[in-house]
Amino acid sequence: MVGFLLWLLLLVVCWPLALLALMLYPIVWLVLLPFRLLGITVTAVFSLLGAMLMLPARVLRGRPA
């Protein structure tokens, strides 16, 4: 919502720049999409490694004495 209000303010102050931003937004989003997917993948790999390393501790902690 704040982004939309800032865009409306930019439209009132400098409409050619606002229209250029409106046209470039999808292109920038497409360029940044692989980096987002890479970030999701790296997070998933680190979560998997963390779960694998913590598994022995969880098994030993869950065993009755």
Side-chain angles (χ1 to χ4, degrees), residues 10-64:
L10 184 63
L11 181 65
V12 170
V13 174
C14 182
W15 64 269
L17 188 61
L19 291 179
L20 181 67
L22 191 62
M23 296 293 177
L24 289 179
Y25 181 77
I27 296 168
V28 171
W29 186 84
L30 282 174
V31 167
L32 293 179
L33 187 60
F35 296 108
R36 235 180 245 178
L37 293 174
L38 182 67
I40 291 169
T41 304
V42 169
T43 302
V45 167
F46 281 140
S47 295
L48 178 65
L49 288 174
M52 289 171 56
L53 291 174
M54 295 303 290
L55 183 62
R58 288 184 182 207
V59 169
L60 289 176
R61 194 174 353 137
R63 179 182 294 170

